[in-house]
Amino acid sequence: MGRPAQISRPAVLTAALAVADERGLDALTMQAVAARLGVTAMALYRHVRDKDDLLDGLVEALLTEFPPPDPGLPWRERLAGTARAIRASAARHPAVFPLLLRRPAGTEQARRVRDGVLDALREAGLNDERAARAERLISTAVLGYAASEAAGRFDHHPQDVRDADFAHLLAVIGACVDPEGSRSCRG
Amino acid sequence: MGRPAQISRPAVLTAALAVADERGLDALTMQAVAARLGVTAMALYRHVRDKDDLLDGLVEALLTEFPPPDPGLPWRERLAGTARAIRASAARHPAVFPLLLRRPAGTEQARRVRDGVLDALREAGLNDERAARAERLISTAVLGYAASEAAGRFDHHPQDVRDADFAHLLAVIGACVDPEGSRSCRG
DNA sequence: ACCTGAACACCGTTCAAGT
DNA sequence: ACCTGAACACCGTTCAAGT
C-alpha cells in the first residue's frame, strides 16, 4: 500500500484539454490522454469515473477560465468583459467549448459565472426575476455565438465581420438592459 | 446487374433520425440504422459516404422541417413563426438538433431558411448589410436557445418559465428590428 | 448494381493480478 | 493505493465475394 500516485484528476483534465485543443474532440480518447501522461488508459479510471465524467471535468475547467470581472468596474463593462472572456475561451478551446451548451449549468463554476452576471444586471436596475431571465438569455446568446464561431459555422465570414457581429451583440445586450432602453427589452 | 435497391439515402436518413430520436445520439450507430432497415451496416456505405456524411444529412433533414413562413403575414409574425418552428423541431429531435450549431450553414436548406429571415428583415426596413448581420445574430440566439433547451441545459426550470423566456427572446428580437425601436439595436 | 461475410484497427470499460 | 495485462463487447470502415 501507499504507492505514490503518478497522476491526479487535475493532471488528467489538463492532459485531456491539451489533446482536444491540439487534435480535436474525435482524437480525445482515453488512450490518447493516458499516453500523454505516460500511463495506460486503465489508470485514468481511478481519477475519472468514465469518459462522460472526464468531459464534465473539461467543461468545469473551461468555466474556471472565465475571469471574475473587476467589481470596481461599472456593470456595463463587467458584462462586456465577461462576454469577451467567454469568446476568447472559445477561440482557445474550439473543440471543447460547444460542450458548454450541452451540459447542465448547475456546477460550482457555472454558478460563479452566473452570479457575476446577475450582480451586474441587478446593478443595472433589474429586479431579481428579470435579472434571472435576462441572465439566461444573455448567457445563451453569448455561448451560442461563441460556440458557433468555434465550431466553424461562421468560417465563411472574415474575422472583422465576426468581430463586428459580436460587438453588435454586446451593444444589443447593453441597450436591452439599460434603464433608459426600450420598453420591450425590459419586459 | 440491375439488382433493385432495398434502401435509399432518404430511407437511411429517416431511419437514422428515428434511432436518434428514440435512443439518443450515442445509440446512433451504423449497425443500429442498418438493423432498423433490415440490412447490414455495410450496405449503408453505398448511400452515405461515411458517418459524418450521415450526420450532415440529418442536419439537412432537420432544416427541411422548418416551414417556409406564409408570405402573406407581416414580417414580425413571419420571424416569430420561424423561430417557434425551430424551437418545436428542437423539441422533436433533441439529440440531433444541437448539431445545427456545429455545422456550416452553407447547405441548400440552410440558405432557404436564412433567405426567409432576410426577406422579413428587409421588409422591416433594414438595409442589406444590417439585415445580414441581424440574421446571423437572431439565428444564433434562436438556435442557441433551442439547442440549450433540447440538450437539457434548462431542465431545472419548469416549462412555463422556459416558454416565458422564449417569448421574451422573441420580444427583444422584435423590438431590436422594429423601425421604432431603440437606436443601439439597429446600429 | 446492390448487398454480405469476413476482417482490421480502434474504442470504452472490467477485473484480477502485480508492486 | 495505484497502476497494468489481458480480455470483452462494441465501433467505423475496407474489400473481395456473392447474387
Side-chain angles (χ1 to χ4, degrees):
Chain A
M1 73 240 194
R3 181 173 171 181
Q6 297 176 33
I7 59 175
S8 62
R9 185 177 171 94
V12 169
L13 294 178
T14 300
L17 191 56
V19 169
D21 289 347
E22 291 168 15
R23 291 158 48 202
L25 208 56
D26 285 345
L28 180 60
T29 65
M30 299 301 267
Q31 358 257 325
V33 175
R36 177 175 278 261
L37 292 166
V39 111
T40 66
M42 297 78 85
L44 304 180
Y45 286 88
R46 190 154 298 272
H47 302 95
V48 295
R49 200 174 349 97
D50 51 24
K51 192 175 179 185
D52 230 56
D53 183 41
L54 184 147
L55 293 176
D56 281 339
L58 286 186
V59 168
E60 197 69 357
L62 238 83
L63 287 165
T64 304
E65 285 193 351
F66 303 171
D70 179 345
L73 293 173
W75 65 264
R76 191 182 291 278
E77 292 175 33
R78 297 214 301 279
L79 232 44
T82 297
R84 275 190 281 261
I86 288 172
R87 185 178 181 228
S89 176
R92 272 195 303 278
H93 311 295
V96 174
F97 191 89
L99 297 180
L100 276 169
L101 273 173
R102 285 198 281 160
R103 308 211 157 226
T107 63
E108 184 194 332
Q109 290 302 320
R111 277 195 303 275
R112 179 187 64 77
V113 175
R114 191 197 57 193
D115 288 347
V117 174
L118 282 175
D119 283 347
L121 292 172
R122 278 190 291 251
E123 188 177 309
L126 273 63
N127 67 27
D128 284 7
E129 190 193 338
R130 287 181 178 184
R133 168 152 298 153
E135 186 278 327
R136 290 191 291 274
L137 293 181
I138 292 171
S139 295
T140 302
V142 171
L143 289 176
Y145 190 86
S148 293
E149 213 179 359
R153 197 163 74 91
F154 297 144
D155 271 3
H156 44 113
H157 296 295
Q159 178 76 37
D160 61 314
V161 169
R162 305 202 309 257
D163 287 348
D165 279 5
F166 192 74
H168 190 63
L169 175 60
L170 293 185
V172 169
I173 290 170
C176 283
V177 173
D178 197 308
E180 321 267 313
S182 81
R183 67 273 161 224
S184 297
C185 280
R186 295 174 66 83
Chain B
M1 67 217 186
R3 182 171 172 183
Q6 297 177 35
I7 58 177
S8 62
R9 183 178 171 95
V12 169
L13 295 178
T14 300
L17 191 56
V19 170
D21 288 347
E22 291 169 15
R23 292 157 49 203
L25 208 57
D26 286 345
L28 180 60
T29 66
M30 299 302 267
Q31 359 254 329
V33 175
R36 176 175 279 261
L37 293 167
V39 111
T40 65
M42 297 78 82
L44 304 180
Y45 286 88
R46 190 154 298 271
H47 302 95
V48 294
R49 199 173 352 94
D50 51 23
K51 192 175 178 184
D52 230 56
D53 182 42
L54 185 148
L55 294 177
D56 282 338
L58 286 185
V59 168
E60 196 69 357
L62 237 83
L63 287 165
T64 304
E65 285 194 351
F66 303 172
D70 179 345
L73 294 173
W75 65 264
R76 192 183 291 279
E77 292 174 35
R78 297 214 303 277
L79 232 45
T82 297
R84 275 190 280 260
I86 288 172
R87 185 179 181 225
S89 175
R92 270 195 305 277
H93 311 294
V96 174
F97 191 89
L99 297 181
L100 276 169
L101 273 172
R102 285 198 279 160
R103 309 215 158 223
T107 64
E108 181 194 334
Q109 289 302 320
R111 277 196 303 275
R112 181 187 62 80
V113 176
R114 190 198 58 193
D115 288 347
V117 174
L118 282 175
D119 282 347
L121 293 172
R122 279 190 290 251
E123 187 176 312
L126 273 63
N127 65 28
D128 284 7
E129 190 193 338
R130 286 182 179 183
R133 170 152 296 151
E135 187 278 327
R136 290 192 292 272
L137 293 181
I138 291 172
S139 295
T140 302
V142 171
L143 289 176
Y145 190 86
S148 293
E149 213 179 0
R153 197 163 75 92
F154 297 144
D155 272 1
H156 45 111
H157 296 295
Q159 178 75 38
D160 62 314
V161 169
R162 305 202 309 257
D163 288 347
D165 279 6
F166 193 74
H168 190 63
L169 175 60
L170 294 185
V172 169
I173 290 171
C176 282
V177 173
D178 196 309
E180 322 266 314
S182 80
R183 66 275 162 222
S184 296
C185 279
R186 293 173 67 80

